[in-house]
Amino acid sequence: MTQVSTADVAGGAELVALQQHSAYLAAGWDATLLVGHRNGPPSPGVVHLGDEQGRSAWARGVRAAAKAPVLRSGPPGTALLAVAEPVRAARRLAGHEDFSHPASRAVLTAAATSDVVHLHNLHGRYFDLRLLPGIAEAAPTILTLHDSWLLTGHCAHSGACERWRTGCGGCPDLSVYPAVRRDATAGNWRRKQRIYARSTGRLHIGAPSRWLLDRVDASMLGPAVADARVIHGGVDLEVFRPARAGEAEAARERFGLPQGAPVLLTVANGLVANPWKDWGTLHRALGLLGSEEGGPVTVAALGEEGADLQLGRVRVVFLGRRTEREEVAAAYRASDVYVHAARVDTFPNAVLEGLATGLPVVASAVGGIPEQVRPAALPGASLSAAAGAAPATGILVPPGDPAPLAAALRTLVDDPALRRRLGSAGRADAEQRFSGSAGLGAYVDWAEELAAAQRPS
């Protein structure tokens, strides 16, 4: 088994790949995880691809002489690239997506001796997408999508833009990650289409949400799909669990949060500048909540540094970035409500962690989030009522509008009984639908099916 991911440690997608690697090992697979960037300590079976291997001696020499990072950005990095690899630099300046990563040929080599290859995010300046048809020909290939980059002319999330359906071009925002300098998005789209045409019927597509899989079906990737499955992301229900006696108080003391007053939690890596989250709307909503009469409310922001903010009766405390899972879980147990304001999101781990910890979730109704949260039918705050008899687990609000977000937070701040009811239902729903072992096991079973189908009868 060969897995491929952008990094060993980074965001939610990388965490999923690393956990899946552990699941393959536990199931008895001879598993290797190839990563473009190594951020964490050495780990069994995790191999760094790097970016120097396969480049010309001239390019390596220029970089060594300049002592510059391979992925350095900005004018100095651009000038360095122009000297080291002028053709590559010219293509990037023209807006072409950069697939010039020869070290990723190691994936093709590994595929030749692998029973199954499992690919995760292929953007992040480490992978040559042109290798995909060869990999899929060499071994059964599972491709797990964590965002929409494979479907577009450059962006990982297209937001409200629908140009990816028909060929991109006329891009409304070239700065969206992964950014490009000029609008070559139509050409980038066609280039991906040609790559997928050489993979027709060979890719086994997994996605954490039906929302994302529906986008695959409508995209130029669709014809390459051999089969597709929605496999929900999961959460460790032993780590992320409701607080036991005294744990909430201890966690609040640990983080310097007040006892006896409502605490709202929001979690995002680089919350304020994160392009996918919506700090602007959350900030305005907290301002509205803070301008009202009532007792003090604290908002704990995990994943962001900064001085505390005081917005009327609402105080925002930035807890910084915490990577230890037990410490992250403690932040949830210190809180009464989890709030997730987003412009777009595929299937955020943080929402699952909130549900598993027994917190009611207030979230923007975007991407796959409506598949995670069963919404309560609260006037002015919910987009839809909970389906059937399934108990509600939170409140969904329209994206980009602070008024209904503030109303939802006000409702939960003022109603402890409702918080407990929604939180209890959220934990039960997480146990039923979002067990981490279930999602990881589903991929292990799928890989075993594909491997068995290749063995001689």
Side-chain angles (χ1 to χ4, degrees):
M1 162 60 66
T2 298
Q3 272 202 117
V4 179
S5 181
T6 307
D8 54 347
V9 177
E14 290 76 16
L15 175 62
V16 169
L18 189 61
Q19 291 175 334
Q20 191 66 59
H21 174 62
S22 298
Y24 284 131
L25 290 173
W29 285 77
D30 180 8
T32 301
L33 173 60
L34 301 177
V35 298
H37 314 290
R38 174 175 283 159
N39 302 321
S43 183
V46 178
V47 178
H48 181 210
L49 288 170
D51 200 51
E52 288 294 289
Q53 182 182 349
R55 297 205 182 279
S56 69
W58 168 256
R60 295 196 305 271
V62 169
R63 285 196 176 88
K67 297 181 179 179
V70 172
L71 298 178
R72 188 174 178 179
S73 61
T78 302
L80 175 65
L81 183 62
V83 173
E85 298 174 275
V87 174
R88 182 182 175 209
R91 289 185 59 80
R92 282 174 57 177
L93 286 170
H96 298 287
E97 292 183 297
D98 185 7
F99 296 163
S100 180
H101 301 288
S104 62
R105 291 192 63 83
V107 180
L108 186 58
T109 302
T113 57
S114 296
D115 292 318
V116 177
V117 174
H118 188 171
L119 307 173
H120 294 267
N121 273 350
L122 300 180
H123 57 74
R125 292 186 177 180
Y126 81 102
F127 186 80
D128 187 343
L129 192 64
R130 295 168 295 186
L131 299 174
L132 183 60
I135 293 168
E137 183 177 2
T141 300
I142 298 173
L143 177 54
T144 295
L145 273 68
H146 299 275
D147 57 38
S148 298
W149 177 77
L150 289 169
L151 320 179
T152 74
H154 88 90
C155 60
H157 291 293
S158 62
C161 177
E162 296 285 298
R163 294 173 188 264
W164 58 272
R165 295 179 182 270
T166 56
C168 286
C171 181
D173 192 349
L174 299 176
S175 68
V176 174
Y177 173 82
V180 291
R181 291 176 178 270
R182 290 182 174 83
D183 191 356
T185 56
N188 293 338
W189 189 96
R190 289 192 298 270
R191 190 184 189 194
K192 288 176 176 174
Q193 184 184 44
R194 290 193 296 270
I195 291 171
Y196 305 149
R198 294 168 51 213
S199 310
T200 299
R202 289 180 175 167
L203 299 178
H204 305 270
I205 303 296
S209 62
R210 170 52 56 183
W211 169 81
L212 183 54
L213 207 55
D214 286 345
R215 290 167 76 89
V216 171
D217 292 341
S219 76
M220 79 289 210
L221 178 59
V225 178
D227 65 327
R229 303 182 185 186
V230 175
I231 298 178
H232 289 318
V235 61
D236 189 329
L237 296 172
E238 297 299 319
V239 174
F240 294 92
R241 54 168 177 76
R244 297 169 181 147
E247 286 186 329
E249 293 78 8
R252 290 193 178 195
E253 183 175 355
R254 177 180 188 174
F255 293 112
L257 302 173
Q259 306 286 350
V263 173
L264 317 180
L265 175 69
T266 188
V267 177
N269 185 20
L271 171 67
V272 173
N274 191 311
W276 317 129
K277 310 311 175 191
D278 194 357
W279 167 248
T281 295
L282 178 57
H283 185 273
R284 292 191 296 274
L286 295 176
L288 292 174
L289 181 64
S291 67
E292 302 167 353
E293 293 184 0
V297 176
T298 299
V299 178
L302 186 64
E304 182 64 84
E305 307 280 351
D308 293 359
L309 294 178
Q310 193 69 44
L311 303 170
R313 68 173 176 137
V314 173
R315 176 171 162 249
V316 182
V317 178
F318 295 105
L319 300 181
R321 186 175 184 186
R322 315 285 177 119
T323 57
E324 172 57 44
R325 287 197 308 161
E326 289 290 350
E327 193 170 22
V328 173
Y332 283 92
R333 289 196 285 270
S335 307
D336 299 296
V337 176
Y338 178 69
V339 55
H340 194 90
R343 295 183 176 91
V344 64
D345 233 323
T346 301
F347 205 79
N349 290 338
V351 169
L352 300 183
E353 291 164 357
L355 293 171
T357 313
L359 301 183
V361 173
V362 177
S364 306
V366 295
I369 293 177
E371 299 173 48
Q372 298 177 300
V373 179
R374 301 189 190 277
L378 300 178
S382 162
L383 295 182
S384 62
T393 61
I395 305 172
L396 295 178
V397 298
D401 189 344
L405 178 55
L409 296 177
R410 181 189 313 116
T411 296
L412 292 177
V413 164
D414 293 344
D415 194 337
L418 178 60
R419 294 202 302 263
R420 289 191 294 271
R421 187 163 68 250
L422 294 177
S424 177
R427 172 64 186 188
D429 200 33
E431 291 175 348
Q432 181 178 0
R433 297 199 293 151
F434 302 129
S435 165
S437 59
L440 299 174
Y443 274 113
V444 171
D445 292 344
W446 196 3
E448 290 175 348
E449 290 174 23
L450 294 174
Q454 301 300 307
R455 299 186 189 113
S457 56

